[in-house]
Amino acid sequence: MRIVFVISSLSAGGAQRVISLMTNYWSDLDHQISILSLSRSNSFYDLNSKIKVTRLDLERKPGSILSGLKANITRINAIRTELKSINPDIVISFLSQTNIAAIIAGKSLGIPVIVSERNDPSKDIIPTIWKTVRYITYRFANLLVVQTKQAKKFFNHYSIRTVIIPNPIRAVTTTKAKKEKIILAAGRLTPQKGFDLLIGAFTEVPSKEWRLVILGE
């Protein structure tokens, strides 16, 4: 199959890690994989050399509503142009605002589009206008992928078929080592990740044998 992924950028992040795992896996199975990135940043994660990456360099913060509208029309047209050139069997897009552009571009060409939400939609902070546009456009997608039952419930009224697919994992090599009593957490050092709650909870641990280790930036 010819599969196109659409993402805002290929920098470090959970959505980008998942895309790297999926595209590398399917590329190894000889599917023709392309990634359209709205940013010009290089990929933080290793990608198979057979994967075609197109950096559209269109990720900019709008200065006003009008400039934002123009910027998104430009993004949609750029994605549509690339899709016409590649002629994929399917488009897979990640994250709300990128999903909206991918749906409009893909469906205008009659291409099936799968969109994926990677955050808790009840906590995700996006402007009201984007929430409204998301509600309108998502019903035109062929499938919505979420990660939890709570997220699936949130989108129940969107009139779109929704499935739960947890994050993929890759095999790791284990070695015998002395075990330590460590609580390990990993993620960006942003309020979204809730490390403040974790640190507060850890202060309630009575045992002094345990350590909390946070892998952030």
Side-chain angles (χ1 to χ4, degrees):
M1 294 180 66
R2 292 186 301 277
I3 306 170
V4 171
F5 283 79
V6 186
I7 184 73
S8 57
S9 80
L10 289 171
S11 57
Q16 290 82 356
R17 184 186 69 85
V18 170
I19 281 184
S20 71
L21 291 173
M22 294 173 69
T23 54
N24 284 333
Y25 179 79
W26 282 338
S27 180
D28 286 340
L29 296 178
D30 291 330
H31 295 291
Q32 296 178 38
I33 306 298
S34 300
I35 300 176
L36 303 182
S37 170
L38 298 182
S39 169
R40 64 180 177 181
S41 62
N42 293 323
S43 178
F44 179 83
Y45 302 96
D46 292 334
L47 295 174
N48 192 310
S49 60
K50 293 187 293 183
I51 297 170
K52 179 185 177 184
V53 178
T54 301
R55 299 172 179 85
L56 300 176
D57 191 16
L58 295 173
E59 191 185 41
R60 294 176 180 85
K61 292 184 178 180
S64 65
I65 294 177
L66 182 60
S67 64
L69 177 62
K70 289 181 179 179
N72 282 291
I73 291 174
T74 300
R75 292 184 188 110
I76 292 168
N77 287 335
I79 294 171
R80 192 175 188 276
T81 297
E82 292 296 328
L83 294 182
K84 285 181 70 175
S85 174
I86 299 169
N87 189 28
D89 296 298
I90 198 161
V91 172
I92 302 174
S93 177
F94 278 45
L95 306 176
S96 294
Q97 296 184 24
T98 305
N99 291 344
I100 292 167
I103 291 169
I104 296 172
K107 299 304 288 187
S108 69
L109 298 171
I111 302 170
V113 178
I114 295 174
V115 294
S116 182
E117 287 283 343
R118 314 308 299 179
N119 295 313
D120 180 351
S122 66
K123 300 285 197 305
D124 200 13
I125 301 174
I126 63 173
T128 301
I129 187 171
W130 279 107
K131 291 180 180 178
T132 302
V133 176
R134 180 176 66 182
Y135 177 77
I136 295 170
T137 56
Y138 268 32
R139 62 189 61 201
F140 294 100
N142 295 80
L143 185 70
L144 168 62
V145 177
V146 296
Q147 296 173 275
T148 65
K149 292 179 180 178
Q150 291 83 356
K152 186 175 188 295
K153 184 178 179 180
F154 178 92
F155 289 106
N156 275 347
H157 65 293
Y158 270 57
S159 301
I160 178 175
R161 187 161 71 93
T162 306
V163 298
I164 300 170
I165 303 179
N167 275 337
I169 58 172
R170 60 183 175 81
V172 296
T173 303
T174 58
T175 58
K176 289 185 177 180
K178 179 183 177 182
K179 287 188 176 182
E180 299 179 64
K181 293 184 176 181
I182 292 176
I183 296 172
L184 181 66
R188 298 193 314 276
L189 300 181
T190 64
Q192 183 193 56
K193 301 305 179 183
F195 290 128
D196 55 330
L197 301 177
L198 175 61
I199 293 170
F202 186 70
T203 64
E204 302 296 322
V205 176
S207 173
K208 300 300 182 183
E209 297 179 357
W210 285 86
R211 289 193 299 133
L212 171 61
V213 177
I214 297 175
L215 305 181
E217 302 302 330

